[in-house]
Amino acid sequence: MSRPATFTPPPGTRAHRLRTARGDFAALTGEPSEGPVRGTALLLPGFTGSKEDFIELHAPLSAAGYRTVAVDGRGQYESEGPKDDERPYGQRELARDVLAQVAALQADEGTGRVHLLGHSLGGLVARSAVIEDPAPFASLTLMSSGPAAVAQPQQERAKLLQDALAALDMGQVWEALRGLDAPEDAADLRGDGEDLRRRWMRNSPAQLIATAGQLRTEPDRVDELAALGLAIHVLSGERDDTWPVPLLDAMAARLGAERTVVAGAEHSPNTDRPGATADALAAFWDRHPAA
């Protein structure tokens, strides 16, 4: 789980509802303060995360000329979703939400093709959306998101979390997990910050159970993605226990993707080293303009 330094949007970033044909989604949008807009990027958070995970990227990316739209997915933090029905959280359903979000941006903002970024679980959803329909996208960035299911220890911990959510309420699970030495993006909920607890409590249990299952069982779809010929960027920290860095290196080679390793970062370079991460993203998008 990414741990943003703050949940307060920076100046120039607005909180709003992104209205789509598949419902409304909570969003944070950063706009360039001057000069032309070079492109629009849609940012998808990971498991147990939220749009706030990208909060330190908005200002540097806005300064580079990019509109950035970070969203909470269905049933995630401030976006509504059913609490006891896992079916709306199937990966294809979540991917279609992403396509609807892009369509809404293109209709309301006059946006062209969109740069799509997914962190961890968000990368699996982003990949599914691009495979479903690559036409609306200028590029895809997979941030700390691998070719298939997470590493075996994280699969086991995700299963423990699924079992706990099926038996206990959200408050009980939060208290049970605070003391665990759990992996990032699978069950690391040790933080005692009120913002982190509030975010956890507003997640849909059904969403968490369904997406934990996706982390445990995701098939390898790298060849499907490579066949699209889309500009792809694989970005990670220099250490990652969820998808080991050598696995991400090999995936990037299979994809013919650009590869960035952010020094000093682990599974969440967006919060570990936001400045270096924003620089790498802007440079990649500059090389692959949406026009």
mmCIF file of all heavy atoms in Angstrom, residues 249-291:
data_model
loop_
_atom_site.group_PDB
_atom_site.id
_atom_site.type_symbol
_atom_site.label_atom_id
_atom_site.label_comp_id
_atom_site.label_asym_id
_atom_site.label_seq_id
_atom_site.Cartn_x
_atom_site.Cartn_y
_atom_site.Cartn_z
ATOM 1 N N ASP A 249 12.256 -6.520 -15.203
ATOM 2 C CA ASP A 249 13.226 -6.336 -16.292
ATOM 3 C C ASP A 249 12.897 -7.265 -17.468
ATOM 4 O O ASP A 249 12.905 -6.845 -18.639
ATOM 5 C CB ASP A 249 14.640 -6.645 -15.803
ATOM 6 C CG ASP A 249 15.167 -5.657 -14.780
ATOM 7 O OD1 ASP A 249 14.643 -4.525 -14.706
ATOM 8 O OD2 ASP A 249 16.116 -6.018 -14.057
ATOM 9 N N ALA A 250 12.636 -8.526 -17.149
ATOM 10 C CA ALA A 250 12.332 -9.503 -18.202
ATOM 11 C C ALA A 250 11.035 -9.159 -18.910
ATOM 12 O O ALA A 250 10.925 -9.315 -20.137
ATOM 13 C CB ALA A 250 12.267 -10.908 -17.599
ATOM 14 N N MET A 251 10.031 -8.696 -18.171
ATOM 15 C CA MET A 251 8.769 -8.292 -18.793
ATOM 16 C C MET A 251 8.986 -7.131 -19.749
ATOM 17 O O MET A 251 8.440 -7.119 -20.868
ATOM 18 C CB MET A 251 7.756 -7.904 -17.726
ATOM 19 C CG MET A 251 6.404 -7.477 -18.290
ATOM 20 S SD MET A 251 5.217 -6.961 -17.012
ATOM 21 C CE MET A 251 5.922 -5.373 -16.535
ATOM 22 N N ALA A 252 9.773 -6.148 -19.338
ATOM 23 C CA ALA A 252 10.042 -5.005 -20.210
ATOM 24 C C ALA A 252 10.710 -5.448 -21.504
ATOM 25 O O ALA A 252 10.389 -4.951 -22.598
ATOM 26 C CB ALA A 252 10.912 -3.984 -19.481
ATOM 27 N N ALA A 253 11.634 -6.404 -21.406
ATOM 28 C CA ALA A 253 12.299 -6.906 -22.609
ATOM 29 C C ALA A 253 11.290 -7.597 -23.523
ATOM 30 O O ALA A 253 11.345 -7.417 -24.756
ATOM 31 C CB ALA A 253 13.420 -7.865 -22.214
ATOM 32 N N ARG A 254 10.399 -8.395 -22.970
ATOM 33 C CA ARG A 254 9.383 -9.074 -23.781
ATOM 34 C C ARG A 254 8.458 -8.071 -24.476
ATOM 35 O O ARG A 254 8.005 -8.305 -25.597
ATOM 36 C CB ARG A 254 8.554 -10.013 -22.911
ATOM 37 C CG ARG A 254 9.295 -11.237 -22.403
ATOM 38 C CD ARG A 254 8.434 -12.015 -21.411
ATOM 39 N NE ARG A 254 7.202 -12.512 -22.038
ATOM 40 C CZ ARG A 254 6.169 -12.987 -21.353
ATOM 41 N NH1 ARG A 254 6.205 -13.010 -20.017
ATOM 42 N NH2 ARG A 254 5.095 -13.429 -21.992
ATOM 43 N N LEU A 255 8.199 -6.962 -23.805
ATOM 44 C CA LEU A 255 7.299 -5.950 -24.354
ATOM 45 C C LEU A 255 7.996 -4.998 -25.322
ATOM 46 O O LEU A 255 7.326 -4.242 -26.020
ATOM 47 C CB LEU A 255 6.686 -5.127 -23.218
ATOM 48 C CG LEU A 255 5.658 -5.815 -22.332
ATOM 49 C CD1 LEU A 255 5.380 -4.975 -21.091
ATOM 50 C CD2 LEU A 255 4.367 -6.061 -23.113
ATOM 51 N N GLY A 256 9.330 -5.021 -25.346
ATOM 52 C CA GLY A 256 10.049 -3.987 -26.089
ATOM 53 C C GLY A 256 9.792 -2.621 -25.480
ATOM 54 O O GLY A 256 9.752 -1.613 -26.193
ATOM 55 N N ALA A 257 9.637 -2.581 -24.159
ATOM 56 C CA ALA A 257 9.239 -1.367 -23.455
ATOM 57 C C ALA A 257 10.439 -0.560 -23.005
ATOM 58 O O ALA A 257 11.545 -1.084 -22.834
ATOM 59 C CB ALA A 257 8.387 -1.730 -22.235
ATOM 60 N N GLU A 258 10.213 0.724 -22.780
ATOM 61 C CA GLU A 258 11.201 1.535 -22.091
ATOM 62 C C GLU A 258 11.204 1.134 -20.614
ATOM 63 O O GLU A 258 10.172 0.758 -20.061
ATOM 64 C CB GLU A 258 10.883 3.023 -22.246
ATOM 65 C CG GLU A 258 10.958 3.487 -23.696
ATOM 66 C CD GLU A 258 10.892 4.992 -23.845
ATOM 67 O OE1 GLU A 258 11.337 5.708 -22.914
ATOM 68 O OE2 GLU A 258 10.406 5.459 -24.893
ATOM 69 N N ARG A 259 12.363 1.218 -19.979
ATOM 70 C CA ARG A 259 12.512 0.732 -18.613
ATOM 71 C C ARG A 259 13.157 1.802 -17.743
ATOM 72 O O ARG A 259 14.196 2.367 -18.106
ATOM 73 C CB ARG A 259 13.389 -0.526 -18.613
ATOM 74 C CG ARG A 259 13.633 -1.133 -17.231
ATOM 75 C CD ARG A 259 12.415 -1.877 -16.722
ATOM 76 N NE ARG A 259 12.706 -2.605 -15.475
ATOM 77 C CZ ARG A 259 12.328 -2.173 -14.277
ATOM 78 N NH1 ARG A 259 11.676 -1.018 -14.156
ATOM 79 N NH2 ARG A 259 12.591 -2.901 -13.208
ATOM 80 N N THR A 260 12.535 2.103 -16.597
ATOM 81 C CA THR A 260 13.091 3.034 -15.624
ATOM 82 C C THR A 260 13.121 2.356 -14.267
ATOM 83 O O THR A 260 12.110 1.793 -13.825
ATOM 84 C CB THR A 260 12.241 4.313 -15.519
ATOM 85 O OG1 THR A 260 12.248 4.994 -16.774
ATOM 86 C CG2 THR A 260 12.786 5.234 -14.434
ATOM 87 N N VAL A 261 14.270 2.403 -13.606
ATOM 88 C CA VAL A 261 14.405 1.966 -12.220
ATOM 89 C C VAL A 261 14.726 3.205 -11.393
ATOM 90 O O VAL A 261 15.752 3.856 -11.620
ATOM 91 C CB VAL A 261 15.503 0.898 -12.066
ATOM 92 C CG1 VAL A 261 15.663 0.516 -10.594
ATOM 93 C CG2 VAL A 261 15.174 -0.334 -12.903
ATOM 94 N N VAL A 262 13.859 3.539 -10.457
ATOM 95 C CA VAL A 262 14.015 4.747 -9.657
ATOM 96 C C VAL A 262 14.868 4.426 -8.433
ATOM 97 O O VAL A 262 14.470 3.643 -7.567
ATOM 98 C CB VAL A 262 12.645 5.305 -9.227
ATOM 99 C CG1 VAL A 262 12.826 6.552 -8.370
ATOM 100 C CG2 VAL A 262 11.790 5.619 -10.457
ATOM 101 N N ALA A 263 16.036 5.025 -8.368
ATOM 102 C CA ALA A 263 16.960 4.776 -7.260
ATOM 103 C C ALA A 263 16.340 5.199 -5.933
ATOM 104 O O ALA A 263 15.672 6.235 -5.837
ATOM 105 C CB ALA A 263 18.267 5.532 -7.486
ATOM 106 N N GLY A 264 16.550 4.380 -4.909
ATOM 107 C CA GLY A 264 16.062 4.703 -3.583
ATOM 108 C C GLY A 264 14.601 4.419 -3.350
ATOM 109 O O GLY A 264 14.084 4.684 -2.261
ATOM 110 N N ALA A 265 13.914 3.862 -4.359
ATOM 111 C CA ALA A 265 12.483 3.575 -4.229
ATOM 112 C C ALA A 265 12.254 2.074 -4.139
ATOM 113 O O ALA A 265 13.065 1.272 -4.615
ATOM 114 C CB ALA A 265 11.714 4.148 -5.413
ATOM 115 N N GLU A 266 11.112 1.719 -3.530
ATOM 116 C CA GLU A 266 10.698 0.320 -3.470
ATOM 117 C C GLU A 266 9.422 0.149 -4.284
ATOM 118 O O GLU A 266 9.389 0.566 -5.439
ATOM 119 C CB GLU A 266 10.584 -0.115 -2.004
ATOM 120 C CG GLU A 266 11.932 -0.053 -1.291
ATOM 121 C CD GLU A 266 11.928 -0.687 0.085
ATOM 122 O OE1 GLU A 266 10.975 -1.419 0.423
ATOM 123 O OE2 GLU A 266 12.896 -0.458 0.837
ATOM 124 N N HIS A 267 8.384 -0.449 -3.700
ATOM 125 C CA HIS A 267 7.204 -0.785 -4.490
ATOM 126 C C HIS A 267 6.363 0.432 -4.889
ATOM 127 O O HIS A 267 5.555 0.343 -5.798
ATOM 128 C CB HIS A 267 6.331 -1.781 -3.723
ATOM 129 C CG HIS A 267 5.163 -2.297 -4.499
ATOM 130 N ND1 HIS A 267 5.296 -3.021 -5.667
ATOM 131 C CD2 HIS A 267 3.828 -2.190 -4.289
ATOM 132 C CE1 HIS A 267 4.108 -3.348 -6.133
ATOM 133 N NE2 HIS A 267 3.201 -2.852 -5.323
ATOM 134 N N SER A 268 6.580 1.550 -4.216
ATOM 135 C CA SER A 268 5.780 2.747 -4.506
ATOM 136 C C SER A 268 6.679 3.930 -4.829
ATOM 137 O O SER A 268 6.821 4.857 -4.027
ATOM 138 C CB SER A 268 4.876 3.081 -3.316
ATOM 139 O OG SER A 268 3.962 2.038 -3.063
ATOM 140 N N PRO A 269 7.294 3.943 -6.009
ATOM 141 C CA PRO A 269 8.141 5.090 -6.357
ATOM 142 C C PRO A 269 7.364 6.393 -6.398
ATOM 143 O O PRO A 269 7.951 7.464 -6.229
ATOM 144 C CB PRO A 269 8.703 4.712 -7.741
ATOM 145 C CG PRO A 269 7.823 3.619 -8.246
ATOM 146 C CD PRO A 269 7.290 2.909 -7.053
ATOM 147 N N ASN A 270 6.058 6.327 -6.604
ATOM 148 C CA ASN A 270 5.207 7.517 -6.612
ATOM 149 C C ASN A 270 5.218 8.240 -5.274
ATOM 150 O O ASN A 270 5.072 9.463 -5.217
ATOM 151 C CB ASN A 270 3.775 7.154 -6.993
ATOM 152 C CG ASN A 270 3.265 5.908 -6.289
ATOM 153 O OD1 ASN A 270 3.928 4.864 -6.285
ATOM 154 N ND2 ASN A 270 2.093 5.972 -5.698
ATOM 155 N N THR A 271 5.384 7.502 -4.165
ATOM 156 C CA THR A 271 5.487 8.141 -2.845
ATOM 157 C C THR A 271 6.906 8.100 -2.289
ATOM 158 O O THR A 271 7.288 8.967 -1.512
ATOM 159 C CB THR A 271 4.525 7.481 -1.836
ATOM 160 O OG1 THR A 271 4.788 6.081 -1.749
ATOM 161 C CG2 THR A 271 3.079 7.701 -2.255
ATOM 162 N N ASP A 272 7.706 7.106 -2.687
ATOM 163 C CA ASP A 272 9.085 7.004 -2.184
ATOM 164 C C ASP A 272 9.983 8.084 -2.776
ATOM 165 O O ASP A 272 10.781 8.699 -2.059
ATOM 166 C CB ASP A 272 9.671 5.633 -2.525
ATOM 167 C CG ASP A 272 8.983 4.489 -1.824
ATOM 168 O OD1 ASP A 272 8.274 4.738 -0.822
ATOM 169 O OD2 ASP A 272 9.148 3.334 -2.272
ATOM 170 N N ARG A 273 9.893 8.289 -4.089
ATOM 171 C CA ARG A 273 10.748 9.259 -4.798
ATOM 172 C C ARG A 273 9.901 9.963 -5.870
ATOM 173 O O ARG A 273 10.082 9.760 -7.075
ATOM 174 C CB ARG A 273 11.949 8.558 -5.452
ATOM 175 C CG ARG A 273 12.932 7.945 -4.474
ATOM 176 C CD ARG A 273 13.704 9.023 -3.712
ATOM 177 N NE ARG A 273 14.744 8.457 -2.849
ATOM 178 C CZ ARG A 273 14.554 8.083 -1.600
ATOM 179 N NH1 ARG A 273 13.344 8.194 -1.058
ATOM 180 N NH2 ARG A 273 15.537 7.596 -0.867
ATOM 181 N N PRO A 274 8.955 10.804 -5.452
ATOM 182 C CA PRO A 274 8.034 11.389 -6.434
ATOM 183 C C PRO A 274 8.700 12.289 -7.459
ATOM 184 O O PRO A 274 8.276 12.316 -8.626
ATOM 185 C CB PRO A 274 7.035 12.171 -5.567
ATOM 186 C CG PRO A 274 7.724 12.369 -4.257
ATOM 187 C CD PRO A 274 8.618 11.188 -4.073
ATOM 188 N N GLY A 275 9.746 13.020 -7.064
ATOM 189 C CA GLY A 275 10.391 13.911 -8.028
ATOM 190 C C GLY A 275 11.030 13.155 -9.169
ATOM 191 O O GLY A 275 10.812 13.473 -10.352
ATOM 192 N N ALA A 276 11.821 12.139 -8.847
ATOM 193 C CA ALA A 276 12.473 11.339 -9.886
ATOM 194 C C ALA A 276 11.448 10.579 -10.710
ATOM 195 O O ALA A 276 11.614 10.410 -11.932
ATOM 196 C CB ALA A 276 13.468 10.369 -9.244
ATOM 197 N N THR A 277 10.387 10.127 -10.063
ATOM 198 C CA THR A 277 9.337 9.408 -10.791
ATOM 199 C C THR A 277 8.638 10.326 -11.781
ATOM 200 O O THR A 277 8.412 9.955 -12.941
ATOM 201 C CB THR A 277 8.324 8.820 -9.789
ATOM 202 O OG1 THR A 277 9.000 7.903 -8.920
ATOM 203 C CG2 THR A 277 7.193 8.104 -10.498
ATOM 204 N N ALA A 278 8.292 11.534 -11.352
ATOM 205 C CA ALA A 278 7.640 12.492 -12.252
ATOM 206 C C ALA A 278 8.545 12.847 -13.425
ATOM 207 O O ALA A 278 8.083 12.958 -14.576
ATOM 208 C CB ALA A 278 7.246 13.751 -11.478
ATOM 209 N N ASP A 279 9.833 13.017 -13.174
ATOM 210 C CA ASP A 279 10.766 13.329 -14.264
ATOM 211 C C ASP A 279 10.780 12.214 -15.307
ATOM 212 O O ASP A 279 10.780 12.479 -16.521
ATOM 213 C CB ASP A 279 12.175 13.516 -13.705
ATOM 214 C CG ASP A 279 12.347 14.813 -12.923
ATOM 215 O OD1 ASP A 279 11.470 15.692 -13.018
ATOM 216 O OD2 ASP A 279 13.360 14.933 -12.205
ATOM 217 N N ALA A 280 10.804 10.961 -14.844
ATOM 218 C CA ALA A 280 10.837 9.832 -15.770
ATOM 219 C C ALA A 280 9.548 9.738 -16.565
ATOM 220 O O ALA A 280 9.555 9.439 -17.777
ATOM 221 C CB ALA A 280 11.088 8.540 -15.000
ATOM 222 N N LEU A 281 8.412 9.994 -15.913
ATOM 223 C CA LEU A 281 7.131 9.940 -16.613
ATOM 224 C C LEU A 281 7.030 11.026 -17.673
ATOM 225 O O LEU A 281 6.645 10.770 -18.825
ATOM 226 C CB LEU A 281 5.978 10.085 -15.610
ATOM 227 C CG LEU A 281 5.786 8.924 -14.644
ATOM 228 C CD1 LEU A 281 4.750 9.280 -13.584
ATOM 229 C CD2 LEU A 281 5.387 7.658 -15.381
ATOM 230 N N ALA A 282 7.377 12.249 -17.304
ATOM 231 C CA ALA A 282 7.280 13.353 -18.262
ATOM 232 C C ALA A 282 8.195 13.120 -19.459
ATOM 233 O O ALA A 282 7.818 13.390 -20.612
ATOM 234 C CB ALA A 282 7.613 14.670 -17.569
ATOM 235 N N ALA A 283 9.395 12.611 -19.204
ATOM 236 C CA ALA A 283 10.321 12.357 -20.313
ATOM 237 C C ALA A 283 9.761 11.291 -21.255
ATOM 238 O O ALA A 283 9.867 11.413 -22.489
ATOM 239 C CB ALA A 283 11.674 11.927 -19.755
ATOM 240 N N PHE A 284 9.166 10.247 -20.696
ATOM 241 C CA PHE A 284 8.567 9.196 -21.533
ATOM 242 C C PHE A 284 7.400 9.759 -22.339
ATOM 243 O O PHE A 284 7.294 9.518 -23.554
ATOM 244 C CB PHE A 284 8.108 8.047 -20.645
ATOM 245 C CG PHE A 284 7.292 6.999 -21.357
ATOM 246 C CD1 PHE A 284 7.870 6.186 -22.324
ATOM 247 C CD2 PHE A 284 5.950 6.837 -21.059
ATOM 248 C CE1 PHE A 284 7.115 5.213 -22.987
ATOM 249 C CE2 PHE A 284 5.183 5.873 -21.713
ATOM 250 C CZ PHE A 284 5.774 5.060 -22.680
ATOM 251 N N TRP A 285 6.515 10.502 -21.693
ATOM 252 C CA TRP A 285 5.369 11.064 -22.417
ATOM 253 C C TRP A 285 5.826 12.044 -23.484
ATOM 254 O O TRP A 285 5.213 12.121 -24.556
ATOM 255 C CB TRP A 285 4.415 11.727 -21.425
ATOM 256 C CG TRP A 285 3.775 10.737 -20.471
ATOM 257 C CD1 TRP A 285 3.611 9.394 -20.667
ATOM 258 C CD2 TRP A 285 3.249 11.033 -19.175
ATOM 259 N NE1 TRP A 285 3.003 8.832 -19.568
ATOM 260 C CE2 TRP A 285 2.759 9.791 -18.645
ATOM 261 C CE3 TRP A 285 3.119 12.203 -18.415
ATOM 262 C CZ2 TRP A 285 2.162 9.729 -17.368
ATOM 263 C CZ3 TRP A 285 2.532 12.124 -17.149
ATOM 264 C CH2 TRP A 285 2.051 10.900 -16.655
ATOM 265 N N ASP A 286 6.876 12.814 -23.212
ATOM 266 C CA ASP A 286 7.396 13.741 -24.227
ATOM 267 C C ASP A 286 7.837 12.985 -25.479
ATOM 268 O O ASP A 286 7.692 13.488 -26.605
ATOM 269 C CB ASP A 286 8.599 14.512 -23.675
ATOM 270 C CG ASP A 286 8.212 15.609 -22.697
ATOM 271 O OD1 ASP A 286 7.014 15.946 -22.576
ATOM 272 O OD2 ASP A 286 9.138 16.150 -22.022
ATOM 273 N N ARG A 287 8.379 11.780 -25.282
ATOM 274 C CA ARG A 287 8.850 10.987 -26.426
ATOM 275 C C ARG A 287 7.695 10.336 -27.195
ATOM 276 O O ARG A 287 7.907 9.861 -28.321
ATOM 277 C CB ARG A 287 9.824 9.919 -25.955
ATOM 278 C CG ARG A 287 11.164 10.467 -25.496
ATOM 279 C CD ARG A 287 12.205 9.380 -25.279
ATOM 280 N NE ARG A 287 11.907 8.525 -24.150
ATOM 281 C CZ ARG A 287 12.269 8.785 -22.888
ATOM 282 N NH1 ARG A 287 12.938 9.908 -22.611
ATOM 283 N NH2 ARG A 287 11.979 7.952 -21.924
ATOM 284 N N HIS A 288 6.521 10.307 -26.582
ATOM 285 C CA HIS A 288 5.371 9.628 -27.210
ATOM 286 C C HIS A 288 4.149 10.531 -27.119
ATOM 287 O O HIS A 288 3.194 10.241 -26.393
ATOM 288 C CB HIS A 288 5.112 8.287 -26.544
ATOM 289 C CG HIS A 288 6.287 7.367 -26.605
ATOM 290 N ND1 HIS A 288 6.602 6.644 -27.734
ATOM 291 C CD2 HIS A 288 7.253 7.086 -25.672
ATOM 292 C CE1 HIS A 288 7.703 5.936 -27.503
ATOM 293 N NE2 HIS A 288 8.112 6.178 -26.278
ATOM 294 N N PRO A 289 4.140 11.648 -27.855
ATOM 295 C CA PRO A 289 3.063 12.623 -27.742
ATOM 296 C C PRO A 289 1.730 12.029 -28.167
ATOM 297 O O PRO A 289 1.660 11.107 -28.987
ATOM 298 C CB PRO A 289 3.505 13.748 -28.669
ATOM 299 C CG PRO A 289 4.478 13.130 -29.610
ATOM 300 C CD PRO A 289 5.181 12.050 -28.832
ATOM 301 N N ALA A 290 0.669 12.588 -27.583
ATOM 302 C CA ALA A 290 -0.678 12.059 -27.839
ATOM 303 C C ALA A 290 -1.204 12.431 -29.214
ATOM 304 O O ALA A 290 -2.112 11.772 -29.720
ATOM 305 C CB ALA A 290 -1.631 12.594 -26.760
ATOM 306 N N ALA A 291 -0.662 13.473 -29.815
ATOM 307 C CA ALA A 291 -1.188 13.917 -31.109
ATOM 308 C C ALA A 291 -0.989 12.842 -32.168
ATOM 309 O O ALA A 291 0.050 12.180 -32.193
ATOM 310 C CB ALA A 291 -0.479 15.195 -31.533
#
